[in-house]
Amino acid sequence: MVKIGNFVSDFLNQNEKKISSEFEKKGYIIRDVADFSSLQKIRKVLLNAIKQNVKIESKLSDEDILNNIHRKINQNQINNIRLKIINTINKNTNIRKLYYNVARKYLDILLGNELAMQMRLNLSIQMPNDTSSLLPVHSDVWSGDSPFEIVVWIPLVNCYRTKTMYILPPNKYHKVKKIFSKRKNKSSKKIFELIKRDVNWLNVKYGQVLLFNQTLPHGNITNKEKETRWSLNCRFKSVFTPYRDKKLGEFFEPITLRKISQLAVKYNLPEIE
């Protein structure tokens, strides 16, 4: 039996090989969005949701609203407002298709074209010096996600330095394995202290999309910049790959199932009497 990891045939073109190799080496790729008009529509939906929940002067630009929302609300309000905005944008019946369009050509290369998508988009808002919105170092598979998933991360503003997220590159993952092998309880804070010199801080501009390997440790720290971070994230996976805690029909939904697969899952062999 031929192991999948040791396949011989390779029919990928040079661009597909380049993107795949970069993803394997870095644990992520950052590219211009595949469909900028879809990104603009997503941002418009988000801004309308913000205006429904926060009193905003009409003269402010979109960038000013997003980057400086911390001047309109305080830290005690942020989580409640974030949940309201999440509920509002997820009521938009077209939002997930727009989201898929933003990263479609990269998903085709890294995952394939028969995909399942998370049923709801997630939103992160990280205001300057807000310690209540931190995501400590973690790997999604440590808490029940499938290693067959990929995260598509879309910034609504330019994200840089402490206004972004970090990820541990694959060639440094052995350090985390060593920490766990010692069988001592380590807090997320302690783990980060041990790897912080090795992580990559991802500079992702509005108009770009980040796809990353969520099996690698990642997270964020307190935003020390003068602007607020807004980013959306959503998981995708190939429909016919293993699921863990997040099941098909509960957390994921097929979005690009091809006709032969639709027919095949309904097919029954004729019974012989």
Side-chain angles (χ1 to χ4, degrees):
M1 182 175 67
V2 178
K3 293 182 179 179
I4 294 176
N6 297 328
F7 66 88
V8 177
S9 299
D10 184 356
F11 296 162
L12 299 179
N13 63 39
Q14 288 305 310
N15 182 55
E16 292 168 334
K17 289 179 181 179
K18 180 181 178 181
I19 288 176
S20 299
S21 177
E22 181 180 343
F23 186 84
E24 181 179 18
K25 183 178 179 180
K26 293 183 176 180
Y28 67 90
I29 61 167
I30 298 170
R31 291 290 189 277
D32 290 341
V33 297
D35 184 348
F36 190 69
S37 64
S38 289
L39 177 61
Q40 289 177 308
K41 291 174 183 176
I42 291 171
R43 201 188 202 197
K44 184 176 181 180
V45 170
L46 178 75
L47 284 161
N48 287 338
I50 293 171
K51 292 171 184 177
Q52 289 178 33
N53 292 283
V54 182
K55 188 176 181 180
I56 302 290
E57 294 90 341
S58 58
K59 65 180 180 180
L60 295 179
S61 67
D62 294 348
E63 287 73 19
D64 198 20
I65 292 171
L66 294 169
N67 279 312
N68 297 305
I69 196 71
H70 52 278
R71 297 177 182 173
K72 304 297 178 183
I73 57 178
N74 58 50
Q75 291 183 12
N76 294 331
Q77 298 173 292
I78 189 62
N79 192 53
N80 185 47
I81 289 173
R82 184 181 71 87
L83 293 175
K84 288 181 178 179
I85 293 172
I86 287 175
N87 288 331
T88 300
I89 64 176
N90 279 293
K91 288 178 182 177
N92 186 301
T93 57
N94 201 40
I95 194 76
R96 290 168 67 242
K97 186 173 182 179
L98 294 171
Y99 202 96
Y100 169 60
N101 288 341
V102 166
R104 181 171 185 164
K105 70 179 182 180
Y106 309 119
L107 289 169
D108 281 354
I109 294 170
L110 296 171
L111 274 183
N113 62 8
E114 288 194 297
L115 302 182
M117 181 181 182
Q118 187 175 324
M119 290 181 171
R120 287 172 59 84
L121 305 184
N122 288 325
L123 170 67
S124 294
I125 311 171
Q126 196 177 8
M127 299 195 300
N129 302 310
D130 178 13
T131 58
S132 68
S133 302
L134 300 184
L135 192 62
V137 62
H138 68 288
S139 164
D140 296 357
V141 297
W142 297 348
S143 56
D145 284 88
S146 166
F148 289 86
E149 298 168 21
I150 192 171
V151 177
V152 174
W153 194 90
I154 300 177
L156 284 308
V157 292
N158 293 337
C159 295
Y160 53 90
R161 294 195 294 268
T162 59
K163 191 189 169 187
T164 188
M165 60 167 281
Y166 62 80
I167 189 167
L168 184 71
N171 65 353
K172 299 296 182 180
Y173 188 69
H174 65 277
K175 291 193 173 185
V176 174
K177 293 173 70 175
K178 186 176 180 180
I179 293 169
F180 278 83
S181 69
K182 292 182 178 180
R183 298 185 180 182
K184 292 183 179 180
N185 292 327
K186 298 284 187 182
S187 66
S188 295
K189 183 177 180 180
K190 183 63 176 178
I191 293 173
F192 180 68
E193 287 298 316
L194 294 171
I195 66 171
K196 67 180 181 180
R197 293 184 179 180
D198 300 306
V199 301
N200 290 329
W201 296 89
L202 307 183
N203 186 352
V204 194
K205 299 176 182 178
Y206 174 67
Q208 295 181 316
V209 59
L210 162 70
L211 292 85
F212 70 89
N213 181 353
Q214 44 87 48
T215 67
L216 296 170
H218 56 279
N220 62 35
I221 62 172
T222 303
N223 178 8
K224 295 296 185 180
E225 314 310 320
K226 296 180 180 180
E227 301 170 333
T228 294
R229 169 166 76 92
W230 293 79
S231 62
L232 294 163
N233 67 82
C234 187
R235 292 176 176 82
F236 294 80
K237 69 190 302 294
S238 183
V239 172
F240 299 111
T241 53
Y243 294 79
R244 292 187 65 195
D245 292 349
K246 294 173 180 176
K247 307 296 185 184
L248 191 66
E250 297 175 0
F251 186 87
F252 286 100
E253 176 184 57
I255 58 169
T256 55
L257 204 60
R258 305 298 165 158
K259 184 52 63 179
I260 190 63
S261 295
Q262 294 176 24
L263 296 172
V265 295
K266 295 186 290 185
Y267 178 75
N268 292 308
L269 283 169
E271 295 183 4
I272 301 176
E273 295 183 0

